């Protein structure tokens, strides 16, 4: 079998497609027919230094993928598969992996490190493989251990710490791990690779060191070693040490006081003179300190944060030295960095950190930054002008508008002139800064006006000229126009001072979408997104004609697009991207036109033609377009109401395709949402299509391959359908109710320590409640008795959610609403149940003390429904 698995692994990497496919199929059969021996064979292959590197590499990859997956449900299945493997075989596999750590082939030992950590992530929380940490530490304490094994062991310890939780290890094990890691960092006899592995291992182990950081002597020693490592000869080790300091800043902010002077010196030296990879981490350290102090300020929410024992004011205390250091970084730009938004260098990091400092100390940053801005903004050197502009744009969020306004008024004209600068990077940053001014400080309802009738014409004129500049500058100009329009979104009058310029702006944006001098599609996307915002924030009825003309133009563009004869896959991708953008604009136009009965007529006159276009788009079968077109259909259904039913015969097949597209789960999720939109639009006229829709929804809930984020909307959709078809929902009750009850039980078993699972749990609870509410309301006028057998379970589930400390506001609102629906629908027949389940008294009390008016209103209605039942 050993020779056979080797040959299969090699053949699975063959350049010959037929050989490769046959080998992959044989490996798959081996895995499905005898998983335990398949895993054992792979671990033996990985451990054998006489085997080819190629077969060992693939054996390691397949082993890792057999133990872990990104998708939570798939990961749970793989975990259970491993748990079910015979104990003696698991021992053999683990021994092979530990043996592989001794391999002189670094790729094999590194892969083994990662696989060991994956096994540990399953077994250690289950109190299995209890001797793993001890055996790894033995490699570190034996005097004759080769450097390669010490390196592999440290890497393994780091990976294990990354995979498991602090509560999974005893404190004595944590102490031993930290001792081994710190000794590996500080050992003068250790090789460079061992010391680097030790520092990286410490990074992963810091989460486990809470108790050690609470002990002053241990904390001092760890900080001393990390700081010493931050000035090592090797830049890679210095970088890793600063990454540890960044993590310590976030995890152990409250204990940093005694070390801050030394840390400032370390970071300042790195920023001024070290390699960029190290300097970036030194700046990141201060960004992390800012993040912590902003977070503490947010928690105090207006109260005096200085009274807090946990707030040390590090940024304010370092301000006079920190800000000049950050301003110097702004002058270290790269040539042409404006051409690539993915570039991250010292200048970008310094500006980002400066922005965080501004949010942390507010007005106090202004006297330190403005002299730099004023001193550099007119210099002949482009770097100085760009740095000054970047500094000004970076500090706009944090200081008060009262302090900023005079500076913005004084600088706005200068910035508008700078849009004609000879240097492209200066123009790029200037356009970005204008966008920041409009985003943060511009609002038509604000007492302090940045954009006024006096300067608006000049602003628009400059932006319309700037949009014709180089693509990267034009993209930033699109952002500035976007936020300029957004500032008029909440205008209190029916008229906007921006309206006279909208025709020119729309024409310029449409021209921009057609530019041929652009190497990527980012500018076109920005122009269409800005067009959407222009429409969304425009004032009806004064912009009616413009929006009607835009509707016609976008429909024409989409019509031309779907007629194109596409030959290459690249052309197909471009066509799909443009269709998606055009569908996005149409969705916004439909929503805007339907805000008024007068303008809704314009949409209704074009509705048939629009639907014909959407159907052509769906026929192209591109998932990106399917998504955007589905969202547009949701708006279309809402706008047409009962009339939408005439489009259902043609549209239904595409809706069904969307519901069945579980692989591209975003499409599936949006399609589920559209079912809800259609239900609300056509009510019981959805009935002829319900069997097909319900069949797809139920299949999706049972499909383990469907992304979990779609499950909650699926449950909500049951409620939408039940509300639309009323008593006709009866035949689905035997299928839906067990699903709801099973999901309720799942909620009780989710890991609340995992943020993603916590969010998923809240979405699921809300979806369950919305399903129950819709079904209860649907049966209210007839067949209410069908829900009686489920009332007790629903109340028990609602009580369990009430006792959850991590539920969000949306769940609370949905839970309170469902209690009211239960009382409203079932009336006196649940009087005894409500008397026994008196948690609702405390639940409603909690809602009445909330600041959310909608929640209070829902709670008041529910209280009335319950009162009516109890009084009966």
């Amino acid at each position: 079998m050993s020779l056979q698995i080797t040959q299969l692994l090699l053949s699975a990497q063959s350049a010959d497609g037929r050989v490769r496919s046959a080998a992959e199929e044989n490996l798959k059969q081996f895995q499905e027919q005898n998983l335990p021996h398949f895993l054992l064979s792979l671990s033996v292959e990985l451990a054998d230094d006489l085997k080819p590197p190629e077969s060992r590499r693939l054996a390691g990859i397949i082993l890792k993928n057999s133990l872990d997956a990104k998708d939570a449900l798939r990961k749970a299945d793989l975990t259970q598969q491993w748990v079910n493997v015979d104990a003696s075989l698991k021992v053999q596999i683990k021994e092979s992996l530990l043996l592989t750590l001794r391999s002189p082939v670094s790729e094999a030992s590194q892969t083994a490190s990662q696989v060991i950590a994956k096994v540990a992530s399953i077994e250690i929380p289950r109190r299995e493989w209890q001797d793993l940490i001890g055996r790894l530490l033995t490699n570190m304490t034996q005097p004759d251990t080769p450097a390669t094994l010490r390196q592999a062991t440290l890497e393994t310890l780091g990976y294990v710490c990354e995979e498991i939780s602090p509560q999974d290890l005893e404190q004595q094990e944590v102490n031993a791990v930290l001792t081994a890691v710190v000794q590996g960092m500080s050992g003068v006899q250790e090789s460079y690779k061992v010391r680097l592995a030790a520092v990286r291992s410490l990074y992963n182990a810091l989460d486990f060191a809470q108790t050690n950081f609470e002990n002053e002597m241990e904390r001092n020693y760890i900080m001393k070693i990390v700081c010493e490592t931050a000035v090592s000869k090797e830049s890679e080790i210095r970088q890793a040490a600063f990454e540890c300091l960044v993590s310590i800043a976030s995890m152990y902010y409250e204990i940093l006081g005694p070390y801050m002077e030394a840390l400032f010196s370390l970071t300042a030296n790195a920023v001024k003179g070290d390699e960029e990879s190290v300097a970036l981490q030194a700046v990141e350290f201060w960004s992390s300190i800012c993040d912590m102090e902003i977070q503490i300020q947010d928690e105090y929410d207006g109260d005096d944060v200085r009274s807090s024992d946990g707030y040390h004011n590090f940024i304010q205390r370092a301000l006079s030295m920190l800000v000049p250091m950050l301003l110097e970084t702004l002058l270290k730009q790269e040539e042409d960095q404006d051409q690539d938004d993915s570039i991250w260098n010292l200048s970008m990091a310094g500006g980002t950190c400066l922005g965080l400092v501004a949010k942390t100390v507010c007005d106090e940053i202004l006297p330190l930054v403005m002299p730099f801005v004023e001193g550099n903004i007119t210099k002949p050197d482009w770097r100085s002008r760009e740095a000054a502009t970047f500094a000004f744009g970076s500090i706009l969020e944090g200081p008060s508008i009262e302090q900023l306004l005079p500076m913005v008024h004084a600088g706005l004209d200068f910035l508008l002139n700078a849009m004609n600068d000879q240097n492209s990077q200066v123009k790029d940053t200037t356009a970005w800064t204008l966008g920041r001014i409009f985003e943060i400080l511009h609002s038509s309802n604000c007492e302090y006006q940045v954009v006024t009738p006096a300067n608006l014409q000049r602003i628009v004129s400059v932006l319309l000229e700037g949009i014709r500049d180089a693509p990267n500058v034009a993209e930033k100009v699109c952002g500035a126009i976007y936020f300029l329009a957004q500032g008029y979104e909440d205008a209190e009058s029916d008229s906007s001072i921006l309206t006279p310029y909208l025709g020119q702006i729309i024409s310029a944006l449409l021209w921009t979408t057609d530019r041929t001098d652009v190497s990527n599609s980012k500018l076109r996307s920005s122009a269409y997104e800005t067009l959407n915002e222009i429409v969304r924030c425009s004032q009806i009825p004064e912009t009616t004609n413009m929006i009607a003309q835009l509707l016609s133009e976008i429909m024409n563009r989409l019509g031309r697009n779907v007629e194109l004869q596409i030959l290459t896959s690249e052309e197909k991708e471009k066509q799909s991207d443009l269709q998606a953008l055009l569908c996005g604009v149409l969705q916004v136009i439909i929503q805007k036109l339907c805000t008024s009965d007068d303008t809704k007529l314009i949409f209704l006159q074009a509705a048939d033609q629009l639907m014909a276009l959407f159907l052509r788009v769906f026929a192209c079968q591109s998932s990106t377009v399917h998504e955007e077109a589905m969202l547009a259909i949701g708006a279309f259904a809402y706008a047409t109401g009962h009339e939408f039913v005439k489009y259902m015969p043609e549209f239904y097949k595409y809706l069904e395709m969307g519901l069945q597209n579980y692989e591209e789960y975003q499409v599936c999720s949006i399609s589920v949402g559209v079912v809800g939109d259609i239900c609300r639009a056509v009510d019981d006229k959805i009935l002829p299509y319900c069997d097909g829709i319900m069949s797809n929804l139920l299949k999706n809930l049972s499909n383990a391959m469907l992304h979990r984020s779609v499950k909650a909307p699926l449950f909500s959709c049951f409620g939408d359908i039940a509300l639309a078809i009323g008593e006709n929902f009866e035949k689905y009750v035997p299928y839906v109710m067990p699903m709801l009850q099973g999901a309720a039980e799942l909620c009780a078993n989710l890991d609340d320590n995992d943020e993603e699972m916590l969010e998923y749990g809240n979405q699921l609870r809300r979806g369950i409640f919305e399903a129950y509410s819709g079904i209860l309301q649907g049966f209210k006028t007839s067949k209410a008795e069908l829900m009686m057998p489920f009332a007790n379970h629903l109340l028990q589930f609602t009580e369990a959610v009430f006792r959850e400390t991590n539920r969000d506001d949306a769940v609370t609102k949905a839970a309170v609403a469902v209690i009211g629906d239960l009382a409203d629908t079932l009336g006196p027949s649940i009087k005894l149940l409500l008397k026994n389940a008196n948690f609702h008294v405390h639940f409603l009390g909690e809602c009445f003390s909330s600041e959310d008016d909608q929640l209070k209103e829902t709670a008041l209605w529910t209280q009335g429904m319950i009162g009516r039942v109890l009084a009966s």
Side-chain angles (χ1 to χ4, degrees), residues 151 352 759 808:
Q151 178 190 342
T352 301
E759 184 182 353
D808 62 24

Side-chain angles (χ1 to χ4, degrees), residues 446-657:
C446 184
E447 181 185 349
Y448 304 97
Q449 293 290 310
V450 172
V451 181
T452 65
N455 63 20
L456 179 59
Q457 184 176 359
R458 172 98 201 282
I459 290 169
V460 171
S461 173
V462 168
L463 293 178
L464 294 183
E465 189 178 338
I467 207 168
R468 295 177 174 271
D469 211 308
N472 58 292
V473 176
E475 190 198 326
K476 304 295 191 307
V477 170
C478 283
I481 295 171
Y482 181 102
F483 291 116
L484 178 67
Q486 197 176 76
Y488 296 102
E489 179 182 6
D490 299 320
E492 290 172 355
S493 71
D494 290 337
S495 181
S496 164
I497 62 167
L498 189 62
T499 299
Y501 306 100
L502 288 185
Q504 292 172 269
I505 293 172
I506 289 170
S507 296
L509 289 167
L510 289 170
W511 177 86
T512 304
T513 65
D514 291 332
R515 281 178 66 157
T516 55
D517 61 335
V518 183
S519 56
N520 63 47
S521 59
K522 203 165 178 189
L523 174 58
R524 187 172 67 180
S525 297
S526 295
Y528 274 119
E529 284 168 18
T530 304
L531 198 56
N532 291 347
E533 197 65 5
I534 292 285
V535 173
R536 205 174 63 77
C537 300
S538 64
Q539 299 295 315
I540 294 285
E542 66 180 7
T543 57
T544 302
N545 290 338
M546 266 183 282
I547 294 174
Q549 288 168 14
L550 182 60
L551 173 63
S552 176
E553 172 64 24
I554 300 298
M555 287 173 66
N556 287 337
R557 288 181 175 220
L558 188 55
R560 291 195 298 271
N561 180 285
V562 294
E563 295 289 345
L564 288 174
Q565 297 299 309
I566 300 301
L567 299 174
T568 68
S569 58
E570 187 182 349
E571 287 175 342
K572 173 71 177 168
E573 188 179 347
K574 284 182 179 177
Q575 181 195 36
S576 297
D577 289 344
L578 182 54
Q579 284 177 3
L581 291 167
L582 293 169
C583 286
V585 181
L586 288 173
Q587 180 196 352
V588 176
I589 291 174
I590 291 167
Q591 289 169 333
K592 176 55 75 171
L593 288 174
C594 295
T595 55
S596 152
D597 288 338
D598 294 335
T599 53
K600 189 174 181 178
L601 188 60
I602 296 168
F603 157 70
L604 292 174
Q605 288 168 346
D608 289 352
Q609 193 184 344
L610 264 172
M611 180 53 80
L613 280 171
F614 289 140
L615 293 173
R616 294 284 302 277
V617 168
F618 284 122
C620 294
Q621 295 186 348
S622 160
S623 61
T624 314
V625 189
H626 209 144
E627 222 172 300
E628 291 296 332
M630 271 293 173
L631 288 168
I633 290 289
F636 189 104
Y638 176 81
T640 49
H642 280 91
E643 290 298 310
F644 187 82
V645 76
K646 73 178 182 180
Y647 304 112
M648 280 299 289
E650 281 293 313
F651 172 65
Y652 179 70
K653 63 183 175 186
Y654 298 114
L655 178 62
E656 193 164 56
M657 281 166 56

